[in-house]
Amino acid sequence: MITNLTVTRLNEPRSNGIVGFATATFDKTFTVNSISIRQNQMDGNLYVRMPQRRTQNGTYIDVCHPLSANTRNELNRLVLDCFNKNQKSYTNLEEQFSTNRQGVSVSAQNCVKYNTAETQSNVLGRMDLVVGDMVIHNAKLYANANGEPQLSLPSYKDSKGDYHGIVIPTDKSAFQELRNVAINEYNTEYKYLECTPNEMKALKENSNLRIKTKELNNGNIAIKFNAKDVAKINDIIQKANAVNNSITR
């Protein structure tokens, strides 16, 4: 949910079509800077682009973006509405009367761990943080001077060499929650298993475990799960196969 928004018009459009910038706060948890408002040079229409970073292969990807079309459409609508009306800010008035962030889900995924000895860096790993209907890519954990893990959210370096935050937590408690989720994901060991559709059905019916799935070309399903749940998952699968074998005999 977009709780606050500020829009800045440029006095003159830039050569790349940028006519303004926006800053948006989502779910009272984090703020995204450097959202650009651009004009299509072919038809003159305005559109919104989330901040991007350049990958090693030269392509550009969004640093942070909505997961659903509804949230993206709402962000586009609010930003362009403010811009066209020359309105500098938008505030979700209903949300101003809410003093907590209850109901906002925060999770981490796609964690990549680094070998600090090989990389000769204090960066422990990177991952995606999902807050509500928004995903923050390339959040990093690094070891501070005391060896404790700290969270670093996406930023950019200007021509003077100074760093500026692209994604900024709204307050200390929001940052602490994001940090705790990131550390927990980094410390979690995962297991992988290939299941038949019948085994997957049994897992869904007999547990509320957090399992991620991917369909395979052979018709089976690859699952990713917390290593601490391996005994329970194996037990469910074994019982499902025993029942299936007794039926087919």
Side-chain angles (χ1 to χ4, degrees), residues 70-238:
N70 287 340
T71 300
R72 184 176 289 276
N73 291 339
E74 180 67 1
L75 176 63
N76 291 347
R77 184 187 68 80
L78 289 173
V79 170
L80 295 181
D81 190 51
C82 286
F83 183 86
N84 289 326
K85 293 178 179 178
N86 203 20
Q87 180 180 330
K88 295 183 178 180
S89 65
Y90 158 83
T91 300
N92 187 319
L93 296 179
E94 181 180 350
E95 278 299 304
Q96 300 312 301
F97 292 89
S98 174
T99 58
N100 57 52
R101 296 173 39 254
Q102 292 182 0
V104 179
S105 62
V106 181
S107 62
Q109 60 187 22
N110 303 327
C111 180
V112 177
K113 300 179 182 180
Y114 297 146
N115 185 322
T116 54
E118 291 182 357
T119 60
Q120 296 182 340
S121 166
N122 65 342
V123 179
L124 301 172
R126 60 178 172 80
M127 67 194 70
D128 298 334
L129 295 176
V130 180
V131 182
D133 197 37
M134 297 289 296
V135 59
I136 305 167
H137 293 294
N138 208 39
K140 295 180 180 178
L141 279 179
Y142 67 94
N144 63 14
N146 297 323
E148 300 168 337
Q150 294 296 328
L151 177 65
S152 173
L153 295 174
S155 62
Y156 71 93
K157 185 166 65 173
D158 64 19
S159 57
K160 298 179 180 179
D162 296 325
Y163 283 90
H164 304 271
I166 298 176
V167 178
I168 302 174
T170 53
D171 54 31
K172 185 176 180 179
S173 64
F175 174 78
Q176 194 65 36
E177 182 176 7
L178 292 172
R179 175 179 176 270
N180 290 343
V181 167
I183 292 174
N184 182 67
E185 180 69 9
Y186 178 80
N187 290 329
T188 299
E189 179 187 354
Y190 288 100
K191 293 289 186 180
Y192 302 86
L193 191 66
E194 182 174 341
C195 298
T196 66
N198 183 63
E199 292 168 343
M200 189 69 243
K201 180 181 178 182
L203 287 172
K204 289 182 178 179
E205 292 176 347
N206 296 285
S207 77
N208 57 356
L209 300 175
R210 186 178 175 185
I211 300 173
K212 291 189 176 181
T213 63
K214 290 282 187 180
E215 292 187 6
L216 301 176
N217 292 333
N218 61 4
N220 286 344
I221 301 101
I223 66 171
K224 175 184 177 182
F225 56 93
N226 195 316
K228 68 180 180 62
D229 297 323
V230 64
K232 187 171 184 178
I233 284 179
N234 285 336
D235 183 59
I236 293 172
I237 289 176
Q238 288 173 5

